[in-house]
């Protein structure tokens, strides 16, 4: 196998462990009588180098050797089973499981990743990426350095959610078109007669947040107010004569709606409030907000479909954006004045 810049090969592992490349291959594949004859201390030395370097067996070589395990990995950068996040992640996992079943693959959930400096990392001393043929990644934010390493080492993976490219190489993903959905809602507000808008939420960090803000500015204009914190946001909204607010987080939309009610303002009579996606944690909402719904289950299904196609060497677009479904009725109405 030829070596690309920044990418480890079996030859590199053999050099670091002081063994032959054949020995490394036998340890990785662990099959046949020859593999059984490798001395335990030699095997341990090779495995230690693999653990220290985070080496993942080259997928193309494994396909050539007809050694696909029919196992797909799933790695999440946030816990998916606590009750506070389970409702949000469930459709993604349902779609992943459904698609894996259709193609006859088992799923392996990687759960041993430690949390370091507040983040889970897929590359660590005990990572077991090579147990799976490829991996589906979930998480609001995925460290750019991990994506770059996965791309450089040519490990087959697909992200659920749009990701920035790793340098000059594309990151495979199936995402939701948040920018288009947000822009479409803003255009609807314009047609209803709104002329002064505000965006409430960070609008930074994750690609999904930046996409929402970009879609808002696409219609409202680059100078439209961007209020990053919901606390005190209503004061600025009232002072600026804003009639339609686009809120990144549904919990913030609830806070804003209750603050408006306490001030005697009606939603949507006096102020339209639009939410930009499904809540990431359960929210006790007093109203059904206008906004859009994320195609979470379909994103999970298509992520597995794209991963399987990559494993079988199909040449296809590695980045897909799916349309969101608008929920127009609820808290978006013509302005009172």
């Amino acid at each position: 196998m030829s070596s690309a810049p920044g990418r480890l090969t079996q030859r590199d592992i053999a050099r670091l462990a002081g063994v032959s490349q054949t020995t490394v291959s036998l340890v990785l594949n662990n099959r046949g009588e020859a593999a059984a004859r490798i001395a335990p201390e030699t095997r341990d030395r090779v495995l230690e180098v693999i653990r220290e370097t985070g080496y993942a067996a080259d997928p193309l070589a494994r396909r050539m050797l007809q050694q696909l395990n029919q196992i797909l990995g799933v790695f999440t950068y946030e816990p998916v089973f606590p009750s506070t996040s389970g409702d949000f992640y469930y459709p993604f996992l349902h779609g992943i499981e459904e698609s894996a079943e259709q193609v006859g693959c088992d799923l392996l959930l990687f759960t041993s990743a430690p949390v370091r400096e507040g983040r889970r990392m897929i590359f660590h001393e005990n990572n077991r990426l090579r147990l799976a043929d490829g991996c589906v990644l979930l998480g609001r934010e995925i460290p750019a350095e991990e994506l770059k390493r996965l791309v450089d080492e040519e490990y087959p993976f697909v992200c659920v959610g749009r990701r920035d490219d790793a340098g000059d190489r594309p990151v495979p993903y199936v995402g939701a078109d948040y920018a288009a959905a947000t822009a479409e809602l803003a255009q609807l507000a314009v047609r209803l007669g709104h002329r002064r808008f505000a965006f409430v939420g960070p609008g930074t960090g994750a690609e999904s947040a930046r996409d929402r803000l970009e879609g808002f500015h696409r219609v409202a204009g680059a100078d439209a107010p961007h209020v990053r914190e919901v606390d005190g946001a209503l004061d600025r909204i009232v002072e600026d004569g804003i009639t339609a607010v686009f809120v990144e987080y549904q919990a913030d939309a609830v806070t804003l709606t209750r603050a408006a009610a306490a001030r005697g303002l009606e939603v949507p009579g006096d102020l339209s409030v639009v939410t930009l996606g499904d809540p990431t944690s359960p929210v006790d909402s007093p109203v059904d907000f206008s906004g859009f719904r994320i195609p979470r289950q379909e994103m999970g299904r298509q992520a597995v479909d794209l991963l399987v196609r990559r494993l079988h060497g199909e040449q296809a677009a590695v980045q897909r954006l799916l349309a969101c479904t608008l929920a127009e009725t609820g808290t978006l109405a013509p302005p009172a004045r």
Side-chain angles (χ1 to χ4, degrees), residues 41-76:
E41 58 271 20
T42 301
R43 182 186 303 276
D44 291 342
R45 190 162 66 250
V46 171
L47 292 176
E48 180 63 24
V49 171
I50 289 171
R51 281 192 293 268
E52 289 178 352
T53 60
Y55 170 77
D58 185 274
L60 179 59
R62 293 175 64 191
R63 286 198 300 275
M64 290 172 63
L65 293 171
Q66 300 295 307
Q67 290 175 352
L68 284 176
N69 297 316
Q70 300 298 308
I71 296 176
L72 305 179
V74 178
F75 184 86
T76 65

Side-chain angles (χ1 to χ4, degrees), residues 102-176:
Q102 290 176 351
V103 297
C105 288
D106 291 314
L107 293 175
L108 174 60
L109 181 63
F110 294 111
T111 58
S112 64
V115 177
R116 293 176 176 170
E117 299 180 355
R119 298 191 305 178
R120 296 182 75 187
M121 306 296 284
I122 196 170
F123 286 109
H124 58 95
E125 60 273 13
N126 294 318
N127 85 75
R128 299 179 177 87
L129 281 177
R130 66 187 183 86
L131 295 178
D133 299 319
C135 191
V136 176
L137 307 183
L138 292 112
R140 186 172 185 273
E141 294 188 61
I142 300 179
E145 62 271 20
E146 296 223 312
L147 291 175
K148 185 177 187 308
R149 183 169 174 179
L150 286 164
V151 170
D152 287 346
E153 295 184 5
E154 299 184 4
Y155 181 82
F157 73 99
V158 173
C159 294
V160 176
R162 188 188 74 78
R163 304 296 165 192
D164 293 330
D165 290 344
D168 59 350
R169 303 181 68 181
V171 171
Y173 66 72
V174 175

Side-chain angles (χ1 to χ4, degrees), residues 151-222:
V151 170
D152 287 346
E153 295 184 5
E154 299 184 4
Y155 181 82
F157 73 99
V158 173
C159 294
V160 176
R162 188 188 74 78
R163 304 296 165 192
D164 293 330
D165 290 344
D168 59 350
R169 303 181 68 181
V171 171
Y173 66 72
V174 175
D177 197 343
Y178 297 123
T182 302
E184 192 171 352
L185 285 169
Q187 290 167 347
L188 175 60
V190 170
R191 291 196 297 271
L192 290 173
H194 293 277
R195 295 297 180 267
R196 296 191 63 80
F197 311 91
F199 185 98
V200 175
T204 58
E207 291 88 345
S208 56
R210 289 187 273 119
D211 288 348
R212 289 172 167 92
L213 183 59
E214 189 277 325
F216 169 78
H217 283 310
R218 191 184 298 174
V219 177

